[in-house]
Amino acid sequence: MHTRLLHNDPQGLATAAAMLRAGGLVAFGTETVYGLGADAGNDTAVAAIYTAKGRPGINPLISHFASADAAFEQVEATPLARRLADRFWPGPLTMVLPRGTHCGISTIATAGLPTAAVRVPAGQTTQALLAACGFPVVAPSANPSGRVSPSDAQHVLAGLDGRIDAVLDCGPCRVGVESTIIDLSRDVPVLLRPGGITLEALEAACGMKLALPAGSNDARPTAPGQLSSHYAPGLPVRLDARSVTPDEALLAFGPPLPGSALVWNLSATGDLHEAAARLFAGLRFLDMEGHRRGLVGIAVQPVPGHGLGRAIRDRLIRAACPRP
Ligand code: TXA
Ligand code: MG
């Protein structure tokens, strides 16, 4: 299959929407990462996403909508869900809610669960694409399953060229880590995945502390459907490095440690927003260039665990997990 690179102009948008409507797979940029889109109501198209990514069928997908009203036609919204939608949509928050009686989302996309994950992404192009489609679009991150997520169009092509119909070039992603996922289908809200909306902001909006999934802690995060090894570069990743050797690449945060000739600084000033936006590009760069230079691994300087740092640490911990 030839993968087309579509430009961010009216013609590119119209082509992307037409391809999705016809059951094609089109990657597009959101404010978080690039997603691999398909018509959420089309079983064949949804199944093709799992094949293209090599994704286990038990791992459900997020449906993307142009508006909260459109999302809440598919799921049963609670008062808290409506409040969070008012506060954070469009934006990097995903809510897991019971499927509605007239839910048109493919049961393949929800992996047979009684719930569905929904979100309204931000970004002019993303919004325009979803509006042009007029149907929900499922979109997992546009990378082969288990690999580092893509934050620009070239990252998507590096992993999926020849396996999908097109990539709509929306430029680099502003946030850089995936959406925060909150499960609102149980008695108490549960944080399933830290992401672009901080836990602090979410708890403030909810007016309560959020439950974290049972068994989760900073060393061993868990989220349903997420394998612990994820975001995995080829080179081994060593966390919380206090020193670095010349045969290692360095993912720095703040003033870089001395000792490595190959450095990607997430943020020289220690800014967590900048660090999130530069995370996946940095992992990709150090992996590729480190491999070319025959280095043995990637050392990562400590990143604080508050605010966006929680999502950054979560991704780094998974990147460092032993591969299955
Ligand atoms: O920022 C994002 O969320 C990006 C962009 C493209 O929107 N998407 C994304 O999708 O990160 P993906 O497939 O890489 O991650 C989706 C996560 C998975 O961990 C999946 O298990 C969880 O959402 N999920 C989806 N539906 C669920 C459900 N009904 N219950 C629990 N978890 C669910
Ligand atoms: Mg993903």
Side-chain angles (χ1 to χ4, degrees):
M1 178 191 293
H2 171 68
T3 301
R4 289 178 63 183
L5 182 61
L6 303 173
H7 295 290
N8 187 359
D9 55 27
Q11 200 195 332
L13 265 172
T15 306
M19 285 174 143
L20 286 169
R21 192 168 296 115
L25 303 187
V26 179
F28 59 97
T30 75
E31 80 280 40
T32 59
V33 299
Y34 273 68
L36 178 57
D39 175 354
N42 181 331
D43 285 340
T44 314
V46 173
I49 283 192
Y50 286 85
T51 309
K53 279 184 57 100
R55 180 176 177 110
I58 53 155
N59 194 359
L61 306 176
I62 298 172
S63 296
H64 298 68
F65 300 84
S67 68
D69 284 345
F72 292 153
E73 281 171 18
Q74 305 293 329
V75 289
E76 284 172 24
T78 60
L80 177 57
R82 292 184 188 280
R83 202 160 83 225
L84 295 180
D86 281 346
R87 172 75 183 78
F88 295 114
W89 281 352
L93 180 69
T94 295
M95 299 192 230
V96 172
L97 290 161
R99 287 175 66 103
T101 1
H102 303 292
C103 183
I105 301 168
S106 162
T107 54
I108 300 172
T110 51
L113 295 171
T115 55
V118 296
R119 102 171 177 99
V120 177
Q124 231 172 2
T125 311
T126 322
Q127 285 274 317
L129 178 64
L130 292 170
C133 287
F135 48 80
V137 173
V138 285
S141 52
N143 51 278
S145 187
R147 311 308 300 197
V148 178
S149 298
S151 53
D152 73 28
Q154 289 308 320
H155 296 164
V156 177
L157 289 175
L160 295 175
D161 195 11
R163 304 178 69 91
I164 62 177
D165 293 289
V167 186
L168 178 63
D169 190 348
C170 304
C173 300
R174 183 172 54 78
V175 176
V177 290
E178 293 86 344
S179 60
T180 302
I181 307 180
I182 184 171
D183 186 351
L184 297 175
S185 69
R186 314 181 199 192
D187 298 341
V188 292
V190 180
L191 179 82
L192 294 185
R193 177 176 75 184
I197 299 291
T198 65
L199 180 61
E200 292 87 339
L202 204 47
E203 288 184 335
C206 291
M208 64 174 112
K209 287 275 173 204
L210 294 189
L212 305 180
S216 79
N217 58 41
D218 268 3
R220 255 181 345 116
T222 55
Q226 276 200 321
L227 307 168
S228 48
S229 172
H230 215 94
Y231 310 98
L235 289 177
V237 173
R238 184 166 70 82
L239 297 178
D240 294 326
R242 303 283 172 186
S243 64
V244 58
T245 55
D247 59 356
E248 287 179 309
L250 176 67
L251 188 66
F253 181 77
L257 291 168
S260 174
L262 182 61
V263 179
W264 178 280
N265 205 330
L266 290 172
S267 170
T269 59
D271 179 311
L272 288 169
H273 287 92
E274 184 184 21
R278 288 173 56 77
L279 175 66
F280 292 138
L283 280 174
R284 284 167 181 273
F285 169 75
L286 294 180
D287 192 30
M288 209 169 59
E289 188 58 21
H291 189 261
R292 202 182 65 80
R293 297 191 196 181
L295 302 184
V296 300
I298 301 172
V300 182
Q301 280 182 240
V303 175
H306 60 81
L308 271 183
R310 180 181 287 268
I312 297 172
R313 285 192 63 85
D314 171 84
R315 307 306 187 266
L316 287 170
I317 289 167
R318 291 175 201 279
C321 262
R323 318 286 186 269

